[in-house]
Amino acid sequence: MPKSFDTRPLGSALGAEIIGLDISKPLDDETIQDLYDTWRDNIVLLFNKKDMSQEEQLRFAACFGKLGERPKPKEARPEDYSKLDAAFMLVTNIRENGKPIGTLPDGEMMFHHDTIYKPRPHIGTLLYAIEVPSVGGNTKFTNLYKAYDALPEDIKNKVEGRKALHLYDYDRIAERNTVEGANDLLENCSHPVAITHPRSGRKALYVNRLMTAEIEGLDHDESEEILNLMFDIAEQPEHVYEHVWTPGDLLLWDNFCSSHARTDFSDGEVRLLRRCQVEAESAPAA
Ligand SMILES: [Fe+2]
């Protein structure tokens, strides 16, 4: 059976644009299965639908799994979410009375996996662009299947069966979260350094420069040396796709086989995106 949509590659590293499908309407089971398979194979999917409502975004997200809960505890959120469904987070630099109305307001953000610092990280993120700056604020994605495959064999063997500790301070987005800099309020969790993707069965590197603090069981210097090598391989240009946002873009990405980063942008321009997430069927496993 032909699919009810067309695809176009986003780049050589990963990604596909979905063409000819209205994602604001309910989709039939066959189309959902085709999208699911295309997502599994391409890691990042791009859709474009202007003026998508909250309800439409949530209905579409639910095609890919159970909706995830907001990672940040309610009392730690600075924003007024009274008009927003509880499943959403606003990623924006808009301020009212000097206070950000959303999360992650300004500037560059280093490569990371959403919610890797939780015991059950969300597998899918759906980020919808409402307003974007004329320059910058791009999102870069790296293919962590390719990064794992590109690791030297001795490094693969060295980390086999080991876990890495991930930390996240919600305000620390442009410098690495380290054990030395940690405080009691930090979110933290350990997961295998490389995981087997539950849907593709392929092995993916599962560390990132922002949140991965150490490889457990190695001394500090060795852990740092291996992690820095992994970060550098993951972020090599041939493993990366950089998305320049257009209003109405919705990106769906897989946090179990990719990490992402944000490029800098001017604080003189508005950036407003709406994020929801879907749960994985299981915790990340080697
Ligand atoms: Fe993110």
Side-chain angles (χ1 to χ4, degrees), residues 216-253:
E216 294 176 346
L218 300 182
D219 71 47
H220 178 77
D221 289 351
E222 190 172 28
S223 168
E224 282 298 285
E225 194 181 321
I226 293 175
L227 282 176
N228 281 312
L229 175 75
M230 289 175 165
F231 301 153
D232 289 346
I233 289 175
E235 296 168 22
Q236 280 171 0
E238 66 265 34
H239 298 151
V240 173
Y241 163 70
E242 181 166 349
H243 186 67
V244 179
W245 291 90
T246 298
D249 280 354
L250 182 136
L251 283 181
L252 163 66
W253 66 80

Side-chain angles (χ1 to χ4, degrees), residues 104 109 112-114 125 211 253 255 260-261 275:
L104 306 171
M109 185 167 186
H112 64 282
H113 298 72
D114 293 336
T125 299
M211 297 169 176
W253 66 80
N255 289 295
H260 56 282
R275 182 181 106 168

Side-chain angles (χ1 to χ4, degrees), residues 30-279:
E30 201 172 319
T31 301
I32 292 170
Q33 186 62 49
D34 286 342
L35 282 175
Y36 199 87
D37 295 345
T38 307
W39 181 34
R40 179 197 58 215
D41 295 343
N42 291 276
I43 306 174
V44 176
L45 296 185
L46 167 65
F47 307 85
N48 189 282
K49 179 68 193 176
K50 294 275 185 318
D51 302 319
M52 204 174 185
S53 69
Q54 292 185 44
E55 294 72 24
E56 288 164 350
Q57 185 176 346
L58 290 181
R59 183 175 59 213
F60 183 62
C63 296
F64 302 97
K66 184 169 177 283
L67 290 175
E69 287 193 9
R70 283 282 311 276
K72 201 173 195 172
K74 219 173 188 149
E75 53 281 6
R77 297 176 205 164
E79 60 271 73
D80 173 12
Y81 272 92
S82 55
K83 294 191 242 19
L84 205 63
D85 186 282
F88 284 118
M89 170 178 130
L90 289 181
V91 178
T92 185
N93 59 353
I94 296 174
R95 287 172 164 82
E96 281 171 10
N97 304 318
K99 287 193 179 150
I101 64 163
T103 306
L104 306 171
D106 305 312
E108 190 183 347
M109 185 167 186
M110 288 166 69
F111 274 96
H112 64 282
H113 298 72
D114 293 336
T115 66
I116 195 172
Y117 48 86
K118 299 275 194 189
R120 289 289 300 266
H122 296 148
I123 195 167
T125 299
L126 295 100
L127 188 60
Y128 180 68
I130 298 166
E131 199 168 346
V132 295
S134 56
V135 179
N138 304 336
T139 303
K140 293 158 102 174
F141 294 93
T142 179
N143 182 332
L144 293 177
Y145 292 133
K146 291 190 177 194
Y148 180 79
D149 291 344
L151 289 178
E153 283 305 315
D154 62 323
I155 298 293
K156 284 184 191 168
N157 293 335
K158 184 96 199 173
V159 299
E160 181 72 34
R162 292 196 185 276
K163 288 186 168 186
L165 174 67
H166 310 282
L167 304 174
Y168 186 40
D169 176 338
Y170 290 104
D171 294 325
R172 194 171 171 125
I173 66 167
E175 60 177 330
R176 187 150 162 240
N177 286 265
T178 58
V179 174
E180 303 80 55
N183 65 56
D184 292 346
L185 299 175
L186 278 190
E187 298 270 14
N188 71 86
C189 195
S190 298
H191 297 292
V193 173
I195 62 172
T196 301
H197 196 284
R199 299 172 188 178
S200 70
R202 295 175 64 193
K203 204 113 176 178
L205 188 60
Y206 198 56
V207 298
N208 67 69
R209 197 181 291 274
L210 179 65
M211 297 169 176
T212 306
E214 62 183 23
I215 299 173
E216 294 176 346
L218 300 182
D219 71 47
H220 178 77
D221 289 351
E222 190 172 28
S223 168
E224 282 298 285
E225 194 181 321
I226 293 175
L227 282 176
N228 281 312
L229 175 75
M230 289 175 165
F231 301 153
D232 289 346
I233 289 175
E235 296 168 22
Q236 280 171 0
E238 66 265 34
H239 298 151
V240 173
Y241 163 70
E242 181 166 349
H243 186 67
V244 179
W245 291 90
T246 298
D249 280 354
L250 182 136
L251 283 181
L252 163 66
W253 66 80
D254 187 324
N255 289 295
F256 279 26
C257 54
S258 70
S259 62
H260 56 282
R262 182 171 75 192
T263 66
D264 202 6
F265 60 100
S266 165
D267 57 11
E269 288 190 278
V270 169
R271 190 174 189 273
L272 172 61
L273 303 100
R274 192 173 61 204
R275 182 181 106 168
C276 63
Q277 297 190 292
V278 291
E279 291 184 0

